[in-house]
Amino acid sequence: MDIEVRQPAWQVHAECRGPIGDVFYPPSWPERRDERDAREARAKAICAECQVRSECLDHALALREQHGIWGGLTETERRELMPAR
């Protein structure tokens, strides 16, 4: 039995698609604060130009996405928008 996983239609228009997507998530090794800040600033700059930013943020909030930059917000920034469970 094959299971087909469909991505939301808005994702095909996201600026973060492809190899540039690495800046939206922390690396697998420890990251210095200045490195993290620079990586997050780069990701947020890409989000600022993205035509589906609001859809991305809505998606991340609905799924309670805990990792990465989504819709121009970090995990901590999104957490502040989520109602307590």
Side-chain angles (χ1 to χ4, degrees), residues 34-45:
D34 62 322
E35 293 171 329
R36 183 197 66 214
D37 291 346
R39 178 184 52 75
E40 289 179 351
R42 181 158 158 54
K44 287 180 174 191

